[in-house]
Amino acid sequence: MNAELLEANELDPSPLRETEMAKEIQFLTARLAAKGNAYANKLLEEVDLNVRQFSVLALAASELKPTQREMSSFVALDPSQIVALVDTLEDRNLVKRETDRRDRRSKNIVATAEGEKLYRQARAITMTAEDHVLAKLTTSERDQLRALLTKVTL
């Protein structure tokens, strides 16, 4: 890779902005997610979490008591990855598994009191990361982006 294209461990997009790929929505959303996740991961180190762990903790703290399978589907991760994330959070006493009343073979993932507390702290951190990554957008533009992304992803 050309050294002049690199700046602070990040690809400088200026010479590449006119490529066809740089105009593709899939590329742009992936790039935004990568930048946002990298920044959020750096900030979440303060509470010994990463973005994937935070996602599982956030769902566990939602009071919806999702199953591991529901989490896997919603965050688009392989079920084995969810199991590993839940195991890590469970080892830290942040979440617990409860038998699902609808299907005794399934486990609901629920935040513990300690997990709820850490979730609130981590949520503030992820909002700071979002503010940083979306700093060039107005509040109205952020709302519009959120609404459009929600429309096509959920």
Side-chain angles (χ1 to χ4, degrees), residues 68-85:
Q68 291 178 162
R69 186 172 306 279
E70 289 168 333
M71 284 184 173
S72 170
S73 176
F74 189 73
V75 298
L77 289 176
D78 187 81
S80 65
Q81 292 174 301
I82 294 295
V83 169
L85 291 166

Side-chain angles (χ1 to χ4, degrees), residues 51-146:
V51 169
R52 286 184 172 187
Q53 293 167 338
F54 170 76
S55 297
V56 169
L57 183 59
L59 292 173
S62 72
E63 297 184 15
L64 295 175
K65 297 185 177 186
T67 64
Q68 291 178 162
R69 186 172 306 279
E70 289 168 333
M71 284 184 173
S72 170
S73 176
F74 189 73
V75 298
L77 289 176
D78 187 81
S80 65
Q81 292 174 301
I82 294 295
V83 169
L85 291 166
V86 170
D87 286 347
T88 299
L89 295 173
E90 191 174 43
D91 289 347
R92 292 179 58 193
N93 193 37
L94 299 173
V95 301
K96 60 185 176 182
R97 290 174 167 97
E98 295 180 347
T99 301
D100 187 353
R101 297 160 112 186
R102 300 166 292 180
D103 180 354
R104 296 184 51 78
R105 297 168 295 172
S106 294
K107 299 293 182 190
N108 299 107
I109 309 305
V110 181
T112 63
E114 189 176 334
E116 297 263 352
K117 181 179 176 186
L118 184 62
Y119 164 70
R120 287 189 294 278
Q121 202 178 350
R123 173 78 171 140
I125 291 169
T126 61
M127 294 313 299
T128 298
E130 181 177 295
D131 286 343
H132 173 80
V133 172
L134 299 179
K136 293 180 181 179
L137 299 180
T138 66
T139 300
S140 175
E141 289 170 330
R142 288 180 193 201
D143 290 344
Q144 183 179 19
L145 177 61
R146 186 174 289 106

Side-chain angles (χ1 to χ4, degrees), residues 30-47:
R31 183 169 166 85
L32 176 62
K35 288 178 77 172
N37 287 341
Y39 193 74
N41 278 330
K42 185 178 294 186
L43 296 183
L44 284 167
E45 286 176 0
E46 173 186 327
V47 293

